[in-house]
Amino acid sequence: MEFTTKSTAPHLPFSPDEPTRSLSGLILKNNVKAHYQNFPNGVSDFIKSECLQNIGDSSPLIRATVGILITTIASKGELQNWPELLPKLCLLLDSEDYNTCEGAFGALQKICEDSAEVLDSDVLDRPLNVMIPKFLQFFKHSSPKIRSHAIACVNQFIISRTQALMLHIDGFIENLFALATDEEPEVRKNVCRALVMLLEVRMDRLLPHMHSIIEYMLQRTQDQDENVALEACEFWLTLAEQPVCKDVLCNHLSKLTPVLVNGMKYSEIDIILLKDIRPRFHRSRTVAQQHEGERDGIEEDDDEDDDLDDDDTISDWNLRKCSAAALDVLANVFRDDLLLPILPLLKELLFHPEWVIKESGILVLGAIAEGCMQGMITYLPELIPHLVQCLSDKKALVRSITCWTLSRYAHWVVSQPPDTYLKPLMTELLKRILDSNKRVQEAACSAFATLEEEACTELVPYLAYILDTLVFAFSKYQHKNLLILYDAIGTLADSVGHHLNKPEYIQMLMPPLIAKWNQLKDEDKDLFPLLECLSSVATALQSGFLPYCEPVYQRCVNLVQKTLAQAMLHQSQPDQYEAPDKDFMIVALDLLSGLAEGLGGNIEQLVAPSNILTLMYQCMQDKMPEVRQSSFALLGDLTKACFQHVKPCIADFMPILGTNLNPELISVCNNATWAIGEISIQMGAEMQPYVAMVLHQLVEIINRPNTPKTLLENTAITIGRLGYVCPQEVAPMLQQFIRPWCTSLRNIRDNEEKDSAFRGICTMISVNPGGVVQDFIFFCDAVASWVNPKDDLRDMFGKILHGFKNQEQACSRGSFAMGDDGRGTSYTQGTCYPLLGVGSASWGGKGVQTVTPPQPSGRAGWEGGVS
């Protein structure tokens, strides 16, 4: 079909320029978005009419603006009230005027993107039954722009498996293959995108052609157009998640590996962008003493600017990151088999004189760390020292990626003698934390946090040196990296715990933290990471935090109170008051938990005069799950620390806890379960009125398939604790939970939580021995998981085990047996049940607590770890 080009725009006495017309359209679009429901009928009808009149404007910019306006109106629920829109746009596709056809297709593509669900519903009488066959006709159109629109429209319906598309799936795939080598990059990109999505939903249709598809995707991953290459590279990420991956890809690994590795180099355009975004301002001369280890004699290249902050001008997701992520997931699929094609490449890359190539090699080494760890162990004694040397490379991009790669091997480093690798690595990473380049600071701080998690108390001998560096960084870091520094300090506190509670360490660490705390206003979101950091520090310092606790406690209470007050105002007058950011309340509740855990009974003097329990009662009923999650964690910690203040509220709290035992919200359920267990320990027999509120839900959770491990463990401990204090109420249900109870707790280490839970199960067995008979072997297995139980608990186990052993012998003799304590054994329905007397004992307890506050920024995988 030959096109003519004519304008359908009305003639005006004056002709506004394109940008003005486009801006007018976008202002109108914003008005439609905000106030469309209030438009008079005549106005909305006029806008619709003008849109369709100008869909074929000669200006591509105006056509695109009209398309945006149309889809905005459609997304306001107007597809139902604009019944002529879709038929009219489909009719315009057949226009002989190119501008009209392209404008209509552009609008349809936007509608398909924004309203896919409505288009595939009965509300509109399923227009896709007509539209998808219509789109398929344009796959072979003479205009590449039209071909691209057609594929993009159909692509919107792949993931949802739209019936109208599934009926034409073979024709769709056939058309895609025909366009595989299209000269237009946008068409090739859309073909690749379609194949990636089909991999997820219609593997059955692609499998017969998989060899050819893989060969095609290998070519496209090397496409000269980076957008096409990126779309094709997604194919390997998606294929790695498919069960057939290993079978279909194994013969292509030798070709694919070099392609992915090559894609991991910074492109020329990346490097140009990195150089072009340096800030240009006069730097005053300042005289300052160099901090020990700050520069370490690194001489930067002349073309590298110390003030270069980050590469935000480069796409967040690019070919480099996608290639690295693909290599990572494929390493997890093929494991050490991937080393065969990759080791020769690595050898060449890691020692290459060109920094861009060496940098990509270090990235490759980090990408394969998780999947190929076993095979890499042989080479690590040589590679880790080489990487530690690379931390001093003159190129900042080499130093930053080396930080990340070393963090991927932190687990192995920590498993070796500390002086061999840990100490040199730690020393160099601390120097890089004080690097002059902000990107390197960020990478080093993030890597050090990972090292802290792995090394834990191995870092105790070096605490003074570590704190000296981290505290100096406070004066050096600017806004973005300060947030990552808080994470590193919080992680250090989590890792070394009470070892941080020494006067000299406290004197180093607390003044800069409190200074930042005092600088920030209550409305400043930078409070989030600082509050999280202080929560970890308070827990670690324990009594060492006492001098700082009162203002911190009071501010947290105020933050909670202000947020709740703002929420009430918004609820009553939504037009006048904005909804509050509840993250302020969440992090404040988490810091209060940290204070309660760290200060223990010392927090009583802060709780007594405050209204925290009233506020907590409101938070426990908040609609936002994360608020309830944090409030239940605080309830558990306050129950342990100062139960005298919690006890008067138990009658109000328990029904709320019962209604939150919903395993669909795992973290909320987990913390509610844990809090119930802590309350049980403190209440003792007075817990009896509340058992019925929670027991059935807890038994359901512990029997639920695919329940996360931590929730199972907490549920088992809480059931055990309830049974310890109220055995008569819980023991009758023993048979319903004994097996999953035993399997949940057989793998946790000896600790106070496990101790109290097992005392509870022994007490329940003494009340209802019949409840354990069928699953007695599971009980024996759970008992055997103890390494060193307390003497009185060991005696409780012994009585039960000997009682059952004696009863088994008595049953085999057919006689009535007496236990060691002189109590008889009964027979019920042919089964022998011992009537055991199990003594109680004193105990202490601590819950398995999982509190998941908002994650700090700066420690990410492919998003944050790789630039």
Side-chain angles (χ1 to χ4, degrees):
M1 177 188 295
E2 289 296 320
F3 278 135
T4 59
T5 55
K6 63 177 183 181
S7 170
T8 56
H11 291 284
L12 299 172
F14 64 96
S15 297
D17 58 16
E18 271 188 34
T20 304
R21 293 176 64 203
S22 176
L23 183 60
S24 302
L26 293 176
I27 292 169
L28 179 56
K29 181 266 293 184
N30 288 336
N31 271 285
V32 167
K33 205 168 185 179
H35 309 293
Y36 188 75
Q37 307 305 333
N38 302 324
F39 283 10
N41 283 338
V43 172
S44 52
D45 289 343
F46 175 74
I47 293 170
K48 290 176 183 179
S49 169
E50 287 300 304
C51 282
L52 291 175
Q53 280 293 314
N54 289 278
I55 196 76
D57 193 276
S58 59
S59 160
L61 178 62
I62 301 305
R63 294 200 299 272
T65 305
V66 171
I68 291 169
L69 187 51
I70 287 173
T71 192
T72 305
I73 295 170
S75 67
K76 301 300 284 185
E78 284 299 295
L79 274 177
Q80 296 94 303
N81 300 325
W82 196 356
E84 68 273 21
L85 173 64
L86 294 176
K88 176 69 173 175
L89 290 176
C90 285
L91 189 65
L92 292 175
L93 295 182
D94 294 323
S95 169
E96 292 186 5
D97 173 42
Y98 169 80
N99 293 335
T100 303
C101 176
E102 195 279 325
F105 238 135
L108 281 167
Q109 182 178 333
K110 294 178 181 73
I111 293 169
C112 289
E113 289 169 3
D114 296 343
S115 306
E117 204 172 313
V118 182
L119 291 172
D120 192 29
S121 68
D122 291 326
V123 176
L124 298 177
D125 201 21
R126 301 201 175 272
L128 292 181
N129 292 337
V130 174
M131 290 166 66
I132 283 179
K134 182 85 173 175
F135 295 153
L136 290 174
Q137 292 173 15
F138 286 83
F139 273 41
K140 295 175 182 175
H141 197 278
S142 59
S143 161
K145 182 78 171 170
I146 301 294
R147 295 198 297 274
S148 179
H149 278 316
I151 307 169
C153 284
V154 179
N155 282 357
Q156 296 303 318
F157 306 100
I158 297 174
I159 293 296
S160 59
R161 302 169 191 261
T162 300
Q163 186 63 29
L165 175 57
M166 293 302 113
L167 289 172
H168 297 88
I169 196 69
D170 292 327
F172 175 48
I173 292 171
E174 191 179 318
N175 275 313
L176 288 175
F177 289 166
L179 292 173
T181 55
D182 198 282
E183 76 277 3
E184 174 62 32
E186 194 66 23
V187 172
R188 297 198 302 275
K189 187 182 89 171
N190 282 328
V191 168
C192 291
R193 182 174 293 173
L195 290 172
V196 170
M197 291 188 284
L198 286 168
L199 206 55
E200 286 187 56
V201 300
R202 291 311 301 259
M203 174 64 87
D204 59 319
R205 287 296 197 267
L206 296 190
L207 211 49
H209 315 283
M210 191 53 74
H211 176 81
S212 302
I213 292 172
I214 287 171
E215 290 291 332
Y216 172 70
M217 285 301 191
L218 276 167
Q219 291 175 24
R220 292 286 73 80
T221 308
Q222 301 169 80
D223 201 286
Q224 289 186 331
D225 186 292
E226 186 169 328
N227 292 320
V228 178
L230 175 57
E231 206 64 57
C233 196
E234 295 278 358
F235 180 84
W236 314 114
L237 275 172
T238 305
L239 183 59
E241 296 171 0
Q242 307 303 316
V244 300
C245 176
K246 206 164 186 176
D247 293 335
V248 300
L249 203 52
C250 59
N251 293 328
H252 301 271
L253 269 189
S254 58
K255 288 184 183 176
L256 173 60
T257 306
V259 171
L260 292 177
V261 167
N262 192 53
M264 290 161 74
K265 289 195 305 231
Y266 276 113
S267 66
E268 288 181 22
I269 190 70
D270 287 344
I271 296 167
I272 291 167
L273 282 169
L274 286 167
K275 287 178 182 175
D276 281 352
I277 61 172
R278 66 183 63 186
R280 302 185 186 280
F281 52 80
H282 175 70
R283 190 187 302 175
S284 303
R285 272 191 73 162
T286 55
V287 179
Q289 292 299 313
Q290 191 177 67
H291 188 75
E292 185 185 351
E294 180 179 347
R295 298 287 295 136
D296 193 39
I298 294 174
E299 295 181 13
E300 300 281 354
D301 275 11
D302 291 340
D303 65 349
E304 186 165 354
D305 195 311
D306 287 351
D307 288 306
L308 184 60
D309 195 350
D310 53 37
D311 58 349
D312 287 344
T313 55
I314 298 177
S315 165
D316 285 339
W317 187 244
N318 54 27
L319 182 60
R320 168 182 162 82
K321 291 182 182 179
C322 190
S323 300
L327 194 63
D328 182 3
V329 293
L330 289 171
N332 279 286
V333 171
F334 288 94
R335 300 288 173 181
D336 293 346
D337 291 344
L338 190 66
L339 292 179
L340 190 63
I342 218 162
L343 282 176
L345 297 172
L346 264 178
K347 193 172 182 180
E348 181 186 339
L349 298 172
L350 287 172
F351 302 93
H352 202 282
E354 285 186 41
W355 76 265
V356 173
I357 297 174
K358 180 165 81 170
E359 193 274 348
S360 71
I362 296 168
L363 173 55
V364 169
L365 188 58
I368 63 171
E370 187 181 321
C372 303
M373 180 61 79
Q374 280 307 113
M376 287 304 299
I377 285 174
T378 312
Y379 308 98
L380 292 181
E382 179 188 352
L383 287 173
I384 296 299
H386 174 68
L387 288 172
V388 171
Q389 281 184 349
C390 290
L391 287 173
S392 301
D393 195 276
K394 61 184 179 181
K395 279 289 181 182
L397 292 171
V398 174
R399 300 198 299 276
S400 63
I401 199 61
T402 304
C403 291
W404 177 79
T405 292
L406 280 164
S407 75
R408 301 272 285 178
Y409 290 96
H411 183 77
W412 181 85
V413 167
V414 170
S415 71
Q416 306 302 303
D419 286 347
T420 315
Y421 304 108
L422 175 61
K423 195 173 177 182
L425 171 57
M426 182 190 66
T427 304
E428 288 303 315
L429 269 182
L430 288 171
K431 290 176 185 174
R432 296 289 65 80
I433 282 174
L434 300 179
D435 199 279
S436 60
N437 182 281
K438 295 186 184 73
R439 182 204 311 279
V440 180
Q441 293 171 5
E442 177 184 3
C445 219
S446 187
F448 196 76
T450 303
L451 186 65
E452 289 169 339
E453 287 177 334
E454 294 290 348
C456 294
T457 51
E458 293 279 344
L459 296 178
V460 170
Y462 317 107
L463 268 175
Y465 182 36
I466 293 169
L467 287 171
D468 183 48
T469 303
L470 295 180
V471 168
F472 185 80
F474 268 110
S475 62
K476 187 176 178 69
Y477 279 18
Q478 295 181 10
H479 175 260
K480 179 182 173 185
N481 285 352
L482 261 180
L483 308 186
I484 300 160
L485 181 62
Y486 294 144
D487 180 37
I489 291 171
T491 305
L492 179 67
D494 292 336
S495 299
V496 300
H498 66 89
H499 296 284
L500 206 55
N501 187 10
K502 286 188 176 178
E504 61 269 30
Y505 298 158
I506 294 170
Q507 192 50 45
M508 292 171 75
L509 181 59
M510 289 309 299
L513 283 174
I514 294 300
K516 294 293 180 188
W517 168 268
N518 291 330
Q519 283 173 18
L520 296 174
K521 295 180 180 177
D522 283 355
E523 300 77 32
D524 195 326
K525 290 191 178 183
D526 285 358
L527 264 181
F528 298 164
L530 179 55
L531 283 163
E532 289 158 18
C533 172
L534 280 171
S535 178
S536 297
V537 170
T539 305
L541 292 186
Q542 300 172 351
S543 59
F545 199 79
L546 271 172
Y548 310 95
C549 66
E550 189 169 353
V552 172
Y553 177 89
Q554 198 51 55
R555 188 173 190 181
C556 286
V557 172
N558 290 342
L559 280 169
V560 174
Q561 190 159 322
K562 282 170 68 173
T563 309
L564 287 170
Q566 179 77 13
M568 288 179 70
L569 285 171
H570 172 70
Q571 193 170 355
S572 59
Q573 301 173 67
D575 293 338
Q576 292 186 35
Y577 296 96
E578 282 187 8
D581 185 342
K582 290 186 178 178
D583 283 345
F584 284 102
M585 181 159 65
I586 292 165
V587 291
L589 289 166
D590 290 341
L591 178 45
L592 289 169
S593 279
L595 286 173
E597 189 177 350
L599 299 176
N602 288 317
I603 202 172
E604 189 276 334
Q605 58 191 311
L606 299 171
V607 172
S610 76
N611 61 339
I612 186 59
L613 289 160
T614 305
L615 299 174
M616 193 168 66
Y617 178 65
Q618 291 175 257
C619 292
M620 288 166 62
Q621 300 172 81
D622 197 274
K623 289 178 182 175
M624 191 173 179
E626 291 82 0
V627 175
R628 302 200 302 277
Q629 170 188 333
S630 292
S631 63
F632 295 145
L634 178 57
L635 172 59
D637 281 313
L638 290 178
T639 297
K640 291 194 298 180
C642 54
F643 188 64
Q644 66 270 37
H645 295 297
V646 176
K647 190 173 181 181
C649 309
I650 291 299
D652 294 321
F653 290 168
M654 282 305 300
I656 299 171
L657 288 166
T659 58
N660 278 276
L661 295 177
N662 171 17
E664 296 298 325
L665 297 170
I666 292 166
S667 296
V668 177
C669 183
N670 191 66
N671 288 1
T673 301
W674 175 72
I676 292 165
E678 292 299 335
I679 290 167
S680 302
I681 286 172
Q682 300 291 342
M683 290 285 284
E686 293 179 68
M687 192 70 181
Q688 187 269 332
Y690 308 109
V691 173
M693 292 181 185
V694 298
L695 183 58
H696 283 279
Q697 296 97 302
L698 292 170
V699 172
E700 273 186 35
I701 292 166
I702 205 167
N703 282 289
R704 195 170 184 259
N706 303 319
T707 301
K709 181 171 172 282
T710 306
L711 180 54
L712 279 177
E713 290 169 0
N714 266 342
T715 304
I717 287 165
T718 296
I719 290 172
R721 289 175 161 184
L722 280 170
Y724 190 38
V725 298
C726 299
Q728 298 295 336
E729 285 69 31
V730 184
M733 295 189 73
L734 190 58
Q735 192 171 348
Q736 296 180 40
F737 63 75
I738 186 65
R739 182 185 290 197
W741 190 97
C742 291
T743 54
S744 298
L745 295 187
R746 69 181 299 278
N747 291 320
I748 68 168
R749 67 185 186 279
D750 293 7
N751 57 26
E752 294 298 334
E753 302 99 317
K754 188 173 178 178
D755 181 277
S756 60
F758 271 82
R759 290 176 191 277
I761 209 74
C762 290
T763 308
M764 286 185 275
I765 290 172
S766 72
V767 171
N768 177 22
V772 78
V773 169
Q774 289 182 356
D775 297 304
F776 189 64
I777 187 70
F778 290 92
F779 175 73
C780 295
D781 180 54
V783 169
S785 73
W786 277 89
V787 177
N788 190 25
K790 293 176 183 176
D791 290 344
D792 58 333
L793 181 59
R794 190 191 301 271
D795 291 342
M796 294 170 81
F797 292 155
K799 284 186 178 179
I800 292 175
L801 296 171
H802 283 296
F804 271 85
K805 180 183 176 184
N806 293 340
Q807 192 55 52
E808 182 63 30
Q809 291 170 347
C811 288
S812 63
R813 293 198 303 269
S815 60
F816 181 83
M818 294 295 289
D820 292 340
D821 56 359
R823 297 175 67 180
T825 318
S826 68
Y827 293 90
T828 308
Q829 297 180 343
T831 307
C832 304
Y833 299 146
L835 301 177
L836 299 165
V838 180
S840 62
S842 63
W843 42 265
K846 180 185 175 192
V848 178
Q849 179 186 8
T850 296
V851 183
T852 312
Q855 289 300 306
S857 62
R859 204 122 47 88
W862 299 109
E863 301 293 342
V866 182
S867 300

